[in-house]
């Protein structure tokens, strides 16, 4: 049996998952997205050439790798086809290597319309969603009225479900949010074009993954978002609408939990967050600004500036425990170059008590005051370094302190956006 790896974000997303998934897939036969949708923005840089993926798994640049969209993903047909067209125009063959689960719920125009109308109505208490319709699409799934990929094969049923859902949501759009209603027939017509292209890519993903595993072919499960955005364990309600933790890879891909052998937690060397919600170690000074500039912290999906702050070991400890992280990959270490000192949050003061792990929910997190430990920075450049011994002593000390505080070993380090700018201490696929 093969060894399979799950890659997940341990913070508020954008940890550098895409880069690492791409790097690791030289070892994998298949890469699977198992949750989220086109709210994700995963950046790959190969030989200086940048590719941003939203729905298509980050193994697509490797010709021999098959890519899978599992049942846990909410799929926008429009976004998917746009992404395929862009990749194919750049000379990457996608359609023949992409396999879509028939059970994925679709994101349709009324989901995005509702997402945006609700955010507008929330005013200053908005969640800061990506506006892609992710939340409303998951609502439909749980309410058992979702239109799923499989419904594209049955014209009559598709038309009927569309009429019902559009009628339901037009009431909300018009009378609660004073937004424009949508037309079910127009959406149906659009879907006619999409279905011709999407249906040939639909297959029994769950079965294929089982068979590949039986044959000893290695798989990689690619998480989107991050643990602190998880619908259950994140800073609720400032979260996304899916489980982003490693365990979600089993139901989201349609595989048994025993197939998830190694969990690689992607950890940015500092913290960022895009959208609203509490962020205890957020910086509002020139240090935070410097991290944002050097790290080019702008959302890969919406282009919004990401909020930046110190590394939060107490939040990471929570992520390590919930995900069962086997090894950490510390990314963007180079962005920390040149700092005089570095703060690490080792716990919080909450209601007069000291705690050493992130509490649950937005209210408790907002009430936390971080407790910092200060380490010396380093002035040397770590950009592009490919061996651990080449790192400055203070950078090595920072990494060792993170290991001790968070309770997981550092398996990999990323020192630049390019595939090659990577240090491996313990290869996740090694026995
Ligand atoms: P993801 O959503 O977790 O895949 O991360 P994003 O792609 O949204 O954001 C990570 C950003 O950091 C991208 O622009 C990457 O190209 C870049 N990046 C990844 N690793 C490194 C690194 O080690 N150093 C630097 N400087 N940039 C990196
Ligand atoms: P990747 O995979 C960072 C955030 C949004 C918002 C919240 C809810 O690139 O790491 P949603 O549209 O999902 O309902 O928005 O979640 N968010 C992300 N933040 N990286 C992402 O994905 C994100 N996907 C969603 O900014 O705060
Ligand atoms: Mg991203």
């Amino acid at each position: 049996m093969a060894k399979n790896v799950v890659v997940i974000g341990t913070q508020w997303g954008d940890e550098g998952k895409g880069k690492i998934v791409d790097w690791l897939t030289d070892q994998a036969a298949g890469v699977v997205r198992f949750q989220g949708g086109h709210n994700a923005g995963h950046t790959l840089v190969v030989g200086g050439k940048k590719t941003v993926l939203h729905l298509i798994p980050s193994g697509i640049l490797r010709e021999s790798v098959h890519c899978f969209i599992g049942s846990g993903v909410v799929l926008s047909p429009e976004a998917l086809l746009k992404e395929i067209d862009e990749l194919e125009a750049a000379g990457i063959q996608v359609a023949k290597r992409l396999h879509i689960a028939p059970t994925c719920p679709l994101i349709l125009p009324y989901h995005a319309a509702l997402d945006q109308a609700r955010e507008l109505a929330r005013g200053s208490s908005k969640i800061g969603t990506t506006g892609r319709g992710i939340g409303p699409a998951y609502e439909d799934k749980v309410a058992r009225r979702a239109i799923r990929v499989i419904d594209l094969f049955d014209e009559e049923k598709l038309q009927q479900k569309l009429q019902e859902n559009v009628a339901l949501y037009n009431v909300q759009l018009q009378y609660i949010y004073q937004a424009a209603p949508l037309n079910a027939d127009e959406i149906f017509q659009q879907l006619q074009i999409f279905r011709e292209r999407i249906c040939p890519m639909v297959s029994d993903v769950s079965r294929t993954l089982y068979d590949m595993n039986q044959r000893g072919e290695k798989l990689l499960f690619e998480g989107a978002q991050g643990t602190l955005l998880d619908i259950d364990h994140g800073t609720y309600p400032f979260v996304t609408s899916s489980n982003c933790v490693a365990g979600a890879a089993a139901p989201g891909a349609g595989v048994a939990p025993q197939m998830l052998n190694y969990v690689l937690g992607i950890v940015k060397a500092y913290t960022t967050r895009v959208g609203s919600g509490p962020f205890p170690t957020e910086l509002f000074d020139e240090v935070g600004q410097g991290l944002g500039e050097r790290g080019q912290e702008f959302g890969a999906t919406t282009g919004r500036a990401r909020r930046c702050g110190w590394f939060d070991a107490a939040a990471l400890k929570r992520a390590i425990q919930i995900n069962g992280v086997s090894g950490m990959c510390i990314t963007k270490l180079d962005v920390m170059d040149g700092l005089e000192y570095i703060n690490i949050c080792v716990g919080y003061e909450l209601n007069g008590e000291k705690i050493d792990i992130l509490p649950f929910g937005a209210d408790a997190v907002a009430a936390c005051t971080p407790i910092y430990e200060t380490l010396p920075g380093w002035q040397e450049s770590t950009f592009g370094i490919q061996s651990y011994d080449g790192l400055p002593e203070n950078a090595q000390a920072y990494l060792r302190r993170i290991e001790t505080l968070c309770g997981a070993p550092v398996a990999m380090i990323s020192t630049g956006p390019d595939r090659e700018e990577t240090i491996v201490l313990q290869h996740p696929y090694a026995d």
Side-chain angles (χ1 to χ4, degrees), residues 14 17 40-42 300 306:
D14 304 326
K17 299 176 290 293
H42 295 178
R306 296 175 184 148

Side-chain angles (χ1 to χ4, degrees), residues 29-171:
V31 185
V32 194
R33 273 283 305 271
F34 56 88
Q35 46 73 229
H38 64 306
N39 49 348
H42 295 178
T43 314
L44 285 51
V45 182
V46 181
K49 190 171 179 291
K50 182 167 151 176
T51 306
V52 180
L53 299 168
H54 301 286
L55 260 172
I56 293 175
S58 300
I60 200 72
L61 298 190
R62 309 251 188 201
E63 268 173 33
S64 60
V65 171
H66 281 266
C67 290
F68 299 88
I69 295 184
S71 183
V73 172
V74 279
L75 184 89
S76 158
E78 194 177 355
L80 179 73
L81 293 178
K82 183 167 171 273
E83 200 167 322
I84 293 176
D85 288 345
E86 282 169 8
L87 286 167
E88 295 206 328
I92 301 150
Q93 201 193 47
V94 181
K96 288 208 175 78
R97 289 194 287 134
L98 185 66
H99 312 278
I100 302 170
T103 42
C104 288
L106 296 183
I107 301 188
L108 294 169
Y110 46 87
H111 295 122
L114 273 168
D115 190 358
Q116 290 160 21
R118 286 180 186 163
E119 284 285 276
L120 202 64
R122 279 191 193 102
S124 61
S125 56
K126 68 173 193 241
I127 288 163
T129 71
T130 58
R132 301 293 192 266
I134 305 295
Y138 277 116
E139 283 173 36
D140 272 2
K141 167 176 169 167
V142 179
R144 294 168 290 195
R145 62 171 170 258
I147 297 177
R148 308 202 296 177
V149 166
I150 197 168
D151 296 323
L152 292 175
F153 291 86
D154 184 338
E155 216 170 300
E156 218 171 288
K157 194 168 171 197
L158 177 64
Q159 203 158 17
Q160 187 204 330
K161 282 181 109 175
L162 259 177
Q163 293 288 352
E164 284 170 13
N165 285 357
V166 170
L168 172 73
Y169 286 128
N170 274 348
V171 174

Side-chain angles (χ1 to χ4, degrees), residues 278-420:
F279 178 178
T281 62
E282 185 167 11
L283 286 164
F284 300 95
D285 58 7
E286 64 281 5
V287 177
Q289 212 179 332
L291 291 173
E293 280 164 17
R294 287 195 303 281
Q296 295 180 19
E297 296 293 355
F298 294 93
T301 296
T302 58
R304 292 177 291 177
R306 296 175 184 148
R307 301 151 66 191
C308 297
W310 294 119
F311 184 77
D312 189 338
L316 208 80
K317 191 191 279 183
R318 176 71 76 193
I320 298 289
Q321 294 182 7
I322 292 180
N323 291 293
V325 167
S326 322
M328 297 189 284
C329 172
I330 310 288
T331 60
K332 305 190 89 158
L333 187 68
D334 54 295
V335 176
M336 306 289 280
D337 292 351
L339 291 172
E340 196 186 320
Y341 69 93
I342 294 171
N343 278 343
I344 303 184
C345 170
V346 295
Y348 318 96
E349 259 180 39
L350 177 64
N351 304 324
E353 275 181 44
K354 285 189 177 159
I355 55 171
D356 67 353
I357 194 161
L358 192 78
F360 289 112
D363 292 341
V365 174
C368 282
T369 307
I371 301 168
Y372 287 116
E373 182 178 296
T374 303
L375 268 65
W378 57 90
Q379 301 311 310
E380 304 92 323
S381 167
T382 62
F383 186 79
I385 288 183
Q386 295 180 21
S387 81
Y388 185 78
D389 294 338
L391 292 176
E393 229 169 80
N394 286 353
Q396 293 186 9
Y398 181 54
L399 297 171
R400 281 197 303 270
R401 190 67 189 131
I402 290 176
E403 278 185 331
T404 308
L405 288 167
C406 302
V410 173
M412 293 175 65
I413 301 153
S414 171
T415 55
D418 209 284
R419 197 188 258 174
E420 306 304 324

Side-chain angles (χ1 to χ4, degrees), residues 102-244:
T103 42
C104 288
L106 296 183
I107 301 188
L108 294 169
Y110 46 87
H111 295 122
L114 273 168
D115 190 358
Q116 290 160 21
R118 286 180 186 163
E119 284 285 276
L120 202 64
R122 279 191 193 102
S124 61
S125 56
K126 68 173 193 241
I127 288 163
T129 71
T130 58
R132 301 293 192 266
I134 305 295
Y138 277 116
E139 283 173 36
D140 272 2
K141 167 176 169 167
V142 179
R144 294 168 290 195
R145 62 171 170 258
I147 297 177
R148 308 202 296 177
V149 166
I150 197 168
D151 296 323
L152 292 175
F153 291 86
D154 184 338
E155 216 170 300
E156 218 171 288
K157 194 168 171 197
L158 177 64
Q159 203 158 17
Q160 187 204 330
K161 282 181 109 175
L162 259 177
Q163 293 288 352
E164 284 170 13
N165 285 357
V166 170
L168 172 73
Y169 286 128
N170 274 348
V171 174
Q172 283 196 33
L173 284 169
Q174 282 179 281
Y175 302 109
I176 300 182
Y177 301 113
Q178 283 76 49
L182 294 164
N183 183 305
D185 290 331
E186 267 175 34
I187 301 174
F188 181 73
Q189 290 312 323
Q190 270 178 350
L191 280 176
Q192 296 287 55
I193 306 163
F194 297 151
R195 54 190 276 185
E196 270 175 39
R197 293 186 59 196
I198 289 180
C199 288
M201 291 185 265
V202 179
S203 65
D204 187 341
V205 165
S206 171
R207 170 71 194 261
T208 307
L209 296 176
Y210 178 86
D211 288 343
M212 286 174 84
N213 189 56
Q214 290 290 317
R215 287 198 297 268
E217 295 173 24
K218 295 179 187 128
L219 299 172
L220 194 148
F221 298 89
E222 176 180 8
Q225 290 79 54
T227 305
L228 306 180
L229 287 170
D230 181 275
I231 183 73
D232 289 301
H233 307 289
T235 46
Y236 190 93
F238 300 100
V239 290
T240 190
S241 298
S242 64
N243 283 116
C244 331

